[in-house]
Amino acid sequence: MSGTIADVSSTGGPSRLLGIGAYRPHRSVPNAEIVDAIDSTDEWIRSRSGITSRRFAGPDETIAMMSLAASRQALDDAGVAAADLDCVIVATISHLLQTPAVATAIAAELGATPAAAFDVSAACAGFCYGIAMAADMVRAGTARHVLVIGVEKLSEITDPTDRSTAFIFADGAGAAVVGPADEPGIGPVVWGSEGERFDFIRQDAYWPVDGFGAADDDPENSKPAHTLRMEGNPVFRWASFEMPKVAMRALEAAGVTVAELDAFVPHQANMRITDTMARQLKLPDHVAIARDIAEQGNTSSASVPLALRRLIDEGETRSGDLALLIGFGAGLAYAAQVVRVP
Ligand code: UT7
């Protein structure tokens, strides 16, 4: 044996979110436009999910376009130049081209080349997975600045006649810049997966079985070739009763009490899940609770950064506040961490 390998850890340190950006598609779709195809009502959708309208992307609002818009806002907010990014992570389940990773195209378009770039498939937990990895990279010295994007165009892979998904899923993008800090601004992640429940939320087939998804759609048929399916009620119960325990563990791991918390930003799955989690966590009244789902729908990996951006824009939370993030969904995969608001 000869030589030694240098350890990168000597060059790393604490990390924090430096900036947050969001992109919401132009088209807002009220429940009235959804209900006929699923034999539902505006009242049922509002009372069961809290959704009054959602955003659906148009043809020009692609995964890359939405990601770029959210990323530019995040970089501006952070005061970081794209050229200073060392890594770009894109969390998504609706970029229908399996390879190469859309993150590489986004990095190039931003001017971040030669940043490392890759996609993550962890569905509604994807953004929180990305933040966890970014924080570890900065801590270890593997990267100094990391861009984490959560982006979805779920309208392309949702069956408009499926009663359990058509009114829930929507489109949008959120992004965060993670970088060095004087003291820890991203708490330890509590994450995991429960693959025994693999079938609870999933595509109904592999993309290539009889086409490649939306790109090969039969124009006579309003359904995409392959769509998401969800066992809504079991997922609802799992999220409502198991996820508060994960959220509590993330608080403990960060050494933060609920009384010290300023904001709660759960994945925007269903307003009733958010309410149940808030009750189980016994959140004090001063904690701002993200309720972005009402006018945005459930955007899977984009929902946490979109919801955090809205809380900041509406003055419900401020720079330096402590926010608890939690993502959960297909897999079933989950991740939670406490962060300082940028
Ligand atoms: O983002 C990834 C993670 N996803 C989630 O966390 C979503 C979790 N699940 C949910 O949010 C909820 O399960 C839904 C909102 C999808 C459904 O709400 P639910 O309270 O679980 O409804 P359900 O499936 O238990 O159905 C209750 C009733 C049924 O009728 P009966 O048997 O009580 O007469 C359904 O047939 O509601 C009926 N129903 C509907 N009615 C009108 C189901 N879907 C619809 C609909 N419109 N779209």
Side-chain angles (χ1 to χ4, degrees), residues 265-288:
V265 190
H267 164 50
Q268 302 290 290
N270 181 319
M271 197 74 88
R272 287 158 58 218
I273 294 176
T274 298
D275 290 338
T276 309
M277 291 178 78
R279 266 198 311 278
Q280 299 218 2
L281 288 166
K282 298 189 173 58
L283 295 183
D285 288 345
H286 73 261
V287 177

Side-chain angles (χ1 to χ4, degrees), residues 48-90:
R48 292 291 176 134
S49 70
I51 299 171
T52 60
S53 59
R54 74 282 293 137
R55 299 292 181 111
F56 282 172
D60 56 330
E61 292 173 308
T62 61
I63 292 279
M65 179 268 160
M66 294 192 287
S67 298
L68 285 166
S71 300
R72 288 188 175 118
Q73 187 187 16
L75 287 163
D76 270 3
D77 195 36
V80 169
D84 290 332
L85 292 172
D86 302 305
C87 183
V88 176
I89 301 174
V90 176

Side-chain angles (χ1 to χ4, degrees), residues 193-269:
S193 66
E194 297 185 22
E196 320 83 72
R197 296 176 163 102
F198 183 87
D199 283 337
F200 279 18
I201 310 173
R202 59 172 296 176
Q203 287 174 212
D204 59 0
Y206 288 90
W207 296 128
V209 171
D210 56 7
F212 288 88
D216 274 357
D217 279 354
D218 174 2
E220 299 295 316
N221 180 356
S222 63
K223 287 193 207 171
H226 300 297
T227 54
L228 290 172
R229 301 288 159 187
M230 177 170 71
E231 301 289 328
N233 200 261
V235 176
F236 181 89
R237 282 185 275 118
W238 171 80
S240 298
F241 299 105
E242 298 304 321
M243 291 304 98
K245 297 176 199 164
V246 172
M248 195 56 87
R249 283 167 49 210
L251 284 170
E252 281 162 15
V256 170
T257 65
V258 282
E260 291 170 320
L261 207 56
D262 301 294
F264 177 49
V265 190
H267 164 50
Q268 302 290 290

